[in-house]
Amino acid sequence: MDVLINVFVALHIIGIASLLGGFLTQMKAMGAGAARFIPAMLHGALTMLVTGVALVGLNQADDQAVNNVKIGIKLALLVVILALVYVKRDDETVDKGAFAAVGGLTAANIFIATVWT
């Protein structure tokens, strides 16, 4: 079971890297007002959602303690990120506020995952 959990953790990290990497590559364009949500951001967020749900299920099946409040907050942030990216995915440009919100929420999600113990 540990190997399976570690595989899903790795996939979860790949998802967050795709989401954050997509955001960071558009930072210069955001300054110019030409930022857009690229497909890597949507796919990264979806990967995070699927692997995160799988990780919670696998950890509970393995009788490991799961902090439901932490997971709930992370899920809520991810749902907001997904909603913003999904709704605005076809727009040529996205306003700075929405784009910065996705970056901020992504960073918050990372800090919650790593700092909250």
Side-chain angles (χ1 to χ4, degrees), residues 81-114:
I81 291 168
L82 266 169
L84 284 169
V85 174
Y86 186 78
V87 168
K88 301 283 189 178
R89 73 187 185 281
D90 291 330
D91 293 356
E92 285 298 319
T93 60
V94 179
D95 62 286
K96 290 181 184 181
F99 196 79
V102 167
L105 291 172
T106 301
N109 217 340
I110 292 169
F111 280 106
I112 289 170
T114 56

Side-chain angles (χ1 to χ4, degrees), residues 24-116:
L24 292 175
T25 60
Q26 294 287 309
M27 288 287 292
K28 187 174 182 179
M30 183 179 77
R36 62 185 307 260
F37 292 129
I38 60 175
M41 295 174 75
L42 177 62
H43 298 151
L46 288 171
T47 300
M48 286 178 57
L49 178 64
V50 171
T51 58
V53 169
L55 281 168
V56 170
L58 289 171
N59 280 311
Q60 287 181 340
D62 199 27
D63 289 329
Q64 295 182 22
V66 176
N67 186 339
N68 290 320
V69 174
K70 176 181 173 180
I71 298 302
I73 291 171
K74 286 178 55 58
L75 178 63
L77 292 177
L78 185 56
V79 166
V80 172
I81 291 168
L82 266 169
L84 284 169
V85 174
Y86 186 78
V87 168
K88 301 283 189 178
R89 73 187 185 281
D90 291 330
D91 293 356
E92 285 298 319
T93 60
V94 179
D95 62 286
K96 290 181 184 181
F99 196 79
V102 167
L105 291 172
T106 301
N109 217 340
I110 292 169
F111 280 106
I112 289 170
T114 56
V115 177
W116 187 342

Side-chain angles (χ1 to χ4, degrees), residues 3-16:
V3 172
L4 189 58
I5 290 172
N6 288 334
V7 167
F8 276 96
V9 168
L11 291 172
H12 197 68
I13 291 170
I14 290 169
I16 194 82

